[in-house]
Amino acid sequence: MILNEIIDKITDEFENSDIFFGHGAVSPIDEAVWLVSSVLKIKFKDINKYLKTIVSVEDINKINLIKSMRIEQRIPLAYLLNEAWLKDVEFYIDERALIPRSLIADLIEDDFYPWLESIHNINSVLDLCCGSGCVGILLAKSYPHLDVDLIDISDPALEVAKINIQKHNLQKRVTAIQSNLFEHCKKKYDLIVTNPPYVNASSMTKLPTEYQKEPQLALASGEDGLDLTRLIIKNAKKYLNANGKIFIEIGHNRDVIDEVFKDLNLWWVDTESGSDYIFMLEKNDLP
Ligand SMILES: C[S@@+](CC[C@H](N)C(=O)[O-])C[C@H]1O[C@@H](n2cnc3c(N)ncnc32)[C@H](O)[C@@H]1O
């Protein structure tokens, strides 16, 4: 079979299945191209150059096996291929950690403009609730002057983060620390970024199957989705240097946040998905 026939066939099968797109691809054709390009080791953006290539039986079998697991078991493709991207940076990923998709990546791409006077005045960063380490590692890769600590409570997730630190050769500047929030944190930082668990109890019961393949510790955050956010806000101040800032991602919880933290001076930050998903607090405005 030639490549474009395989892509068409898989796209059709994905289209006629119950799979949910929320982990790196937004449509059946996106996932089909991702799957074949990964197995054939072709860059996603170069796929058009190879559409008339004859694919070996061995590769077709590999592609079909992964496709069947995707459709029948609803395992996200990122886990089946052990790869995910944040912006154009590739990360290793498996079921031990949440699949990278944090909107904090948009802020990194924009140098945190206009929220930081200059990223070059920042030296130390904490990625709290780091999972695969994708956010902290993207920061360290984007700004070679930064020292970045990654904290997570989950040892399995930290194993994935360590694979990514090595993959990007950042052992000298990025350190993974096991800690229940700030419990084992010994330093102060100029900048804290965090994408904590934020799914409320009611939404947890309605998640598409794909999300149930992710660590539930990475998603669930109590009745209103704010258990972790409350604790972070309560404790962050003493881990920030003077003029330090914290950016907190909160999913679809803006209404609840605005109500619960109405006495705090929250700044809602623009991302490519809108301005309801991440807020910033300055050290002096933290309780
Ligand atoms: C939504 S995931 C985010 C992962 C990563 N930052 C990303 O954007 O892909 C939240 C992470 O918080 C971690 N976590 C949950 N409770 C925690 C706690 N009490 N202290 C530290 N990390 C925690 C989970 O293990 C998970 O890796």
Side-chain angles (χ1 to χ4, degrees):
M1 263 177 116
I2 58 171
L3 184 53
N4 66 348
E5 290 170 350
I6 298 177
I7 293 173
D8 285 349
K9 184 168 169 293
I10 295 178
T11 303
D12 278 351
E13 288 185 55
F14 281 165
E15 225 152 38
N16 294 316
S17 75
D18 294 328
I19 62 176
F20 185 87
F21 304 97
H23 294 94
V26 292
S27 65
I29 188 155
D30 250 20
E31 283 228 5
V33 172
W34 180 9
L35 167 50
V36 297
S37 61
S38 174
V39 170
L40 300 178
K41 299 190 173 32
I42 296 169
K43 284 194 182 131
F44 189 93
K45 65 179 173 55
D46 291 341
I47 198 80
N48 284 340
K49 291 186 207 155
Y50 296 91
L51 291 178
K52 299 289 172 210
T53 309
I54 295 173
V55 181
S56 70
V57 172
E58 198 190 344
D59 283 336
I60 293 178
N61 288 342
K62 270 194 220 161
I63 289 167
N64 280 333
L65 180 67
I66 296 171
K67 175 208 67 188
S68 299
M69 291 170 79
R70 177 73 184 100
I71 292 175
E72 285 156 25
Q73 299 177 42
R74 306 272 305 267
I75 301 170
L77 198 54
Y79 286 155
L80 293 168
L81 300 173
N82 297 124
E83 62 187 31
W85 281 263
L86 202 53
K87 297 300 170 184
D88 56 354
V89 176
E90 186 182 341
F91 293 93
Y92 171 84
I93 194 70
D94 66 33
E95 286 86 346
R96 292 174 290 180
L98 189 95
I99 296 167
R101 52 181 175 273
S102 171
L103 300 179
I104 296 172
D106 292 349
L107 311 190
I108 299 172
E109 195 176 43
D110 292 344
D111 296 341
F112 288 84
Y113 179 83
W115 305 104
L116 298 182
E117 216 166 274
S118 163
I119 186 76
H120 298 284
N121 297 341
I122 302 284
N123 293 307
S124 55
V125 180
L126 171 62
D127 174 6
L128 183 63
C129 299
C130 68
S132 64
C134 57
V135 172
I137 289 171
L138 185 62
L139 265 161
K141 268 187 86 83
S142 306
Y143 311 112
H145 68 287
L146 290 182
D147 280 319
V148 179
D149 285 348
L150 310 177
I151 280 185
D152 206 283
I153 196 170
S154 157
D155 280 318
L158 286 170
E159 291 305 318
V160 175
K162 284 176 192 162
I163 293 171
N164 282 317
I165 292 171
Q166 279 212 324
K167 179 179 170 72
H168 292 288
N169 202 12
L170 287 166
Q171 297 90 322
K172 291 204 177 116
R173 290 194 293 120
V174 179
T175 308
I177 302 164
Q178 192 283 332
S179 178
N180 181 358
L181 295 182
F182 298 103
E183 192 179 5
H184 299 147
C185 185
K186 308 246 182 315
K187 278 168 59 180
K188 289 181 182 233
Y189 300 90
D190 299 325
L191 173 66
I192 300 176
V193 289
T194 181
N195 178 22
Y198 51 63
V199 183
N200 65 39
S202 148
S203 304
M204 279 304 290
T205 63
K206 298 176 199 136
L207 288 178
T209 309
E210 279 79 354
Y211 294 84
Q212 294 162 25
K213 308 289 179 189
E214 296 191 291
Q216 300 304 282
L217 185 61
L219 298 170
S221 195
E223 197 52 37
D224 65 358
L226 299 190
D227 281 9
L228 270 286
T229 305
R230 275 194 190 80
L231 286 168
I232 292 168
I233 289 180
K234 185 171 165 207
N235 293 294
K237 189 169 195 164
K238 56 179 180 289
Y239 299 97
L240 280 169
N241 287 323
N243 301 321
K245 295 187 168 93
I246 182 167
F247 290 79
I248 305 181
E249 187 163 347
I250 51 91
H252 295 279
N253 293 329
R254 176 159 179 180
D255 290 348
V256 198
I257 296 261
D258 276 336
E259 175 57 29
V260 171
F261 301 109
K262 56 177 175 294
D263 296 332
L264 291 181
N265 195 15
L266 307 180
W267 293 89
W268 290 94
V269 169
D270 280 341
T271 69
E272 282 170 17
S273 307
S275 54
D276 293 338
Y277 304 107
I278 298 175
F279 64 84
M280 187 273 282
L281 272 162
E282 300 192 337
K283 173 174 175 145
N284 292 341
D285 290 331
L286 279 159

